[in-house]
Amino acid sequence: MPDTTTPPGAVFLSYSREDSDVARRLADALRAFGMEVWFDQNELRGGDAWDAKIRTQIRTCALFVAIISARTQARGEGYFRREWKIAVERTHDMASGVPFLLPVAIDDTAESAALVPEEFMRVQWTRLAHGVPTPAFVEQVRRLLESPCKTAPRSASSGSSAPMAARKSGVPTWT
């Protein structure tokens, strides 16, 4: 049986099932540029112990991308919320300044009103209009994967994927 754990440098996509089309577009865009992506619709098979497999993927990925939208706002419960908490727990074992959490807003969901873990508010967000991946977003992810120990990434070029400023002053841009 082949090893299906996330390869080093892989990106984990976390999303509500209602945003699966957006997650697929992001996965396809990142893969088109040679990045490894763990996207559960491609990776999970019938009969898998999916909960354990997902936890393993989060524990071994290089970057955790949380897709945030009006759909995640509307759902008080969902497995994606558990994924978010597992990712946040992992940050407690990481050195300060290591980029890991990458919240991506795919609509006009306000960062200040987002129903997300507090740790998501301590990192720089990216906004992708209509969930469409841009070259700037792909480049931002590539930089994060190639330079995992930098404390703050360079800003993506202007446009719909420009990172949003961190909400709290004095808090590192990336956890």
Side-chain angles (χ1 to χ4, degrees):
M1 175 178 240
D3 180 14
T4 57
T5 59
T6 306
V11 175
F12 184 99
L13 297 178
S14 178
Y15 59 94
S16 72
R17 69 178 171 263
E18 295 86 359
D19 291 324
S20 62
D21 290 341
V22 170
R24 182 172 303 287
R25 280 196 303 267
L26 294 181
D28 291 346
L30 296 173
R31 286 178 179 148
F33 286 90
M35 291 178 237
E36 296 287 339
V37 179
W38 199 85
F39 177 54
D40 65 353
Q41 290 187 356
N42 291 346
E43 309 300 332
L44 292 176
R45 306 287 180 250
D48 281 349
W50 60 271
D51 184 69
K53 196 168 186 178
I54 288 171
R55 288 173 184 273
T56 298
Q57 303 312 318
I58 296 170
R59 283 193 304 270
T60 60
C61 68
L63 190 64
F64 183 88
V65 176
I67 298 172
I68 299 163
S69 69
R71 293 173 172 135
T72 60
Q73 290 291 93
R75 293 191 55 202
E77 287 187 26
Y79 195 83
F80 66 92
R81 293 197 181 280
R82 182 175 303 184
E83 293 172 353
W84 294 358
K85 288 177 182 176
I86 294 167
V88 165
E89 287 173 13
R90 181 170 171 208
T91 66
H92 298 275
D93 295 329
M94 295 179 154
S96 180
V98 174
F100 178 64
L101 299 175
L102 179 58
V104 176
I106 61 169
D107 56 24
D108 61 357
T109 300
E111 179 181 356
S112 61
L115 301 174
V116 298
E118 183 63 28
E119 288 80 359
F120 284 24
M121 299 302 202
R122 294 184 183 135
V123 297
Q124 192 169 16
W125 286 35
T126 296
R127 186 170 296 279
L128 295 176
H130 309 291
V132 176
T134 63
F137 171 72
V138 172
E139 181 58 28
Q140 176 189 15
V141 171
R142 181 185 305 281
R143 280 193 313 266
L144 292 171
L145 292 173
E146 290 175 353
S147 303
C149 292
K150 291 186 179 180
T151 58
R154 292 176 285 154
S155 291
S157 62
S158 63
S160 62
S161 68
M164 295 185 282
R167 183 173 74 153
K168 298 180 180 183
S169 61
V171 177
T173 306
W174 291 96
T175 57

